[in-house]
Amino acid sequence: ESEARTRDTQQLGQFLLTVCVSMAAAVLSAAFVVFLVRERITKAKHVQMVSGVSIEAFWFATYAWDIANFTVPSIAIITAFAAYD
C-alpha cells in the first residue's frame, strides 16, 4: 500500500508540474504580444521608417531584440528542468 501511495503522489506531482509548465509557457508567449500591440499603437515602425532607418535594419533589430528577450526565460526553464531531473 505504501508503494502505491508513493507512486500516486509522484504521478500527481508530475501532473501538477506539467500543468504549471504549460501555464508558464502560455504566459511567456502571451507576454510577447504586448510588445506587438504597443508597437502598433505607437506606430513605432512608421516612426523608424520616417527617420530613415532601412527596412532591413528595422527587422534585424526587432528580431535580435525578440531573440534576446526570449533566450533568458528559455534558459531559465531548461535550467529548472535540468535541476529537477
Side-chain angles (χ1 to χ4, degrees):
E1 182 179 324
S2 178
E3 238 179 77
R5 188 178 196 124
T6 302
R7 185 180 50 232
D8 290 345
T9 303
Q10 287 176 341
Q11 288 177 345
L12 179 62
Q14 291 171 350
F15 174 75
L16 289 175
L17 178 64
T18 303
V19 170
C20 289
V21 169
S22 298
M23 292 298 290
V27 170
L28 177 63
S29 299
F32 286 98
V33 174
V34 173
F35 294 113
L36 294 174
V37 171
R38 189 174 299 146
E39 180 183 64
R40 174 76 56 141
I41 290 171
T42 61
K43 300 185 192 249
K45 180 181 175 189
H46 177 70
V47 171
Q48 296 295 322
M49 296 301 116
V50 169
S51 298
V53 175
S54 70
I55 194 76
E56 293 85 9
F58 173 80
W59 284 115
F60 176 76
T62 301
Y63 180 73
W65 180 253
D66 288 344
I67 290 296
N69 279 328
F70 195 73
T71 300
V72 173
S74 297
I75 289 173
I77 290 170
I78 291 169
T79 303
F81 278 134
Y84 289 104
D85 186 26

